[in-house]
Amino acid sequence: MTDYFHDQAYSDEVYTEDAFNLREFEACTFTGCDFTRCNFIGVAFTDCTFINCDFSGARINHVAFRGVSFIDCQVLDVNFSMCDKLIFEIHFKDCILDFAKFYDLKMKGTTFTNCSMIALDFMNTDLTNVLFDNCNLHKSVFNNTTAIKADFTTSYNFSIDPDKNKIKKASFSLAGLKGLLDKHELVIRG
């Protein structure tokens, strides 16, 4: 039996390993909470917002994220690839996502705004219509990624091989073109 919580606000909590098991949260807000010790099992978040929370190293296998926003959160080294793929929808603003894994996910329409995204894994990920707004994508892996109509215009430090990824109609700035030519080891001045 799953416990259900609706329209609740949680602040400054430090959660234990199994604090969230078999629970469903809808329209809830979490502010200043620490999830670093959590091992989520059978958890669903629908239309929830996380503000200034720390998920670093949390194990989030079999978690449903449906319409979830992360604002000013630390989400270091979190593996999203084992999340429930049904209606997977997340958005990030002002977050540190370094070393997170998103491989094999359908992330159509996701927004990343002002995020540090160092060494993320987007292998086999569908990034159609994803917005990367002012994000640092240094050492992030794009391999067999579908980034059709994705917007990289204001992001930087990315390296995407057009021969190994689908990037039709994706948007890039003139300065960002260097990230599409890295494999050729060209010297671009300007």
Side-chain angles (χ1 to χ4, degrees), residues 23-128:
R23 293 185 177 182
E24 185 173 339
F25 298 86
E26 184 174 355
C28 293
T29 303
F30 298 84
T31 305
C33 296
D34 183 340
F35 298 94
T36 57
R37 294 177 186 90
C38 291
N39 183 15
F40 295 98
I41 297 172
V43 182
F45 295 103
T46 304
D47 299 326
C48 292
T49 303
F50 296 93
I51 302 166
N52 196 28
C53 293
D54 191 351
F55 280 85
S56 298
R59 291 169 305 284
I60 58 170
N61 297 339
H62 313 294
V63 174
F65 289 107
R66 300 178 178 129
V68 174
S69 293
F70 295 86
I71 301 167
D72 196 29
C73 292
Q74 296 246 8
V75 193
L76 296 164
D77 198 28
V78 174
N79 187 351
F80 286 89
S81 63
M82 295 300 294
C83 288
D84 183 344
K85 293 175 173 62
L86 182 66
I87 316 173
F88 180 76
E89 181 189 344
I90 54 178
H91 302 279
F92 297 94
K93 181 177 181 184
D94 301 320
C95 292
I96 299 174
L97 294 161
D98 300 348
F99 309 105
K101 294 154 193 71
F102 293 99
Y103 56 83
D104 288 327
L105 288 173
K106 293 186 188 300
M107 300 182 68
K108 294 180 179 181
T110 298
T111 56
F112 296 96
T113 305
N114 298 321
C115 293
S116 177
M117 302 173 72
I118 296 171
L120 267 65
D121 186 343
F122 287 116
M123 191 175 346
N124 300 319
T125 305
D126 186 346
L127 298 171
T128 301

Side-chain angles (χ1 to χ4, degrees), residues 130-168:
V130 169
L131 172 63
F132 295 93
D133 182 16
N134 193 38
C135 296
N136 182 359
L137 291 157
H138 182 67
K139 297 285 187 190
S140 287
V141 176
F142 295 88
N143 190 1
N144 198 34
T145 303
T146 301
I148 296 170
K149 295 183 181 178
D151 188 343
F152 294 90
T153 307
T154 59
S155 287
Y156 50 96
N157 292 334
F158 56 84
S159 180
I160 302 171
D161 185 344
D163 293 331
K164 294 182 179 176
N165 298 282
K166 297 175 185 169
I167 58 171
K168 187 175 184 176

